[in-house]
């Protein structure tokens, strides 16, 4: 499911952002929203399964349209985070102190 995939992906994105020294919200918000944008297969989301159940649409039709919609949606999400991320979420180019997982005692 998309929720399970997102749950597995978040620690990986957090590690990548730590290595790149960028705000983890940038990658994690984009990853979370993009995981919800599944348009290719009938099993991807409930609405896809509902439409497919009427037998008017074939899987190949969903794939053709879905690939285009997935790519377009991910580009829109990345563009949105790049432009609105700083004003809405306060994401800038610096690595925040709260994201540093190393502690010294």
């Amino acid at each position: 499911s998309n929720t399970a995939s997102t749950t597995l992906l978040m620690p990986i994105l957090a590690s990548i952002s730590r290595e790149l020294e960028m705000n983890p919200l940038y990658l994690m918000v984009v990853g979370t929203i993009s995981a919800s944008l599944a348009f290719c297969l009938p099993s991807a989301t409930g609405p896809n399964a509902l439409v497919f159940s009427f037998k008017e649409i074939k899987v190949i039709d969903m794939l053709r349209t879905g690939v285009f919609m997935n790519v377009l949606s991910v580009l829109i999400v990345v563009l949105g985070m790049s432009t609105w991320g700083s004003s809405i979420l306060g994401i800038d180019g610096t690595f925040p102190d709260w994201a540093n997982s190393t502690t010294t005692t």
Side-chain angles (χ1 to χ4, degrees):
S1 77
N2 294 342
T3 305
S5 300
T6 304
T7 302
L8 292 173
L9 188 63
M10 289 302 112
I12 297 168
L13 293 176
S15 296
I16 291 171
S17 67
R18 203 173 306 121
E19 289 296 319
L20 296 175
E21 293 188 2
M22 67 185 305
N23 194 321
L25 288 178
Y26 183 78
L27 292 178
M28 295 173 85
V29 169
V30 170
T32 302
I33 294 172
S34 296
S36 298
L37 304 172
F39 303 111
C40 286
L41 297 173
S43 60
T45 63
N48 286 8
L50 181 68
V51 168
F52 187 73
S53 70
F54 288 105
K55 308 285 186 210
E56 298 291 324
I57 295 179
K58 297 178 183 170
V59 174
I60 193 70
D61 296 330
M62 292 186 82
L63 279 172
R64 271 192 228 126
T65 307
V67 168
F68 172 73
M69 289 179 60
N70 281 346
V71 170
L72 183 66
S73 298
V74 169
L75 291 175
I76 290 171
V77 170
V78 170
L79 179 66
M81 277 302 293
S82 298
T83 56
W84 299 322
S86 61
S87 62
I88 295 173
L89 296 175
I91 297 174
D92 56 5
T94 60
F95 186 70
D97 291 334
W98 58 263
N100 193 0
S101 66
T102 59
T103 56
T104 57
T105 55

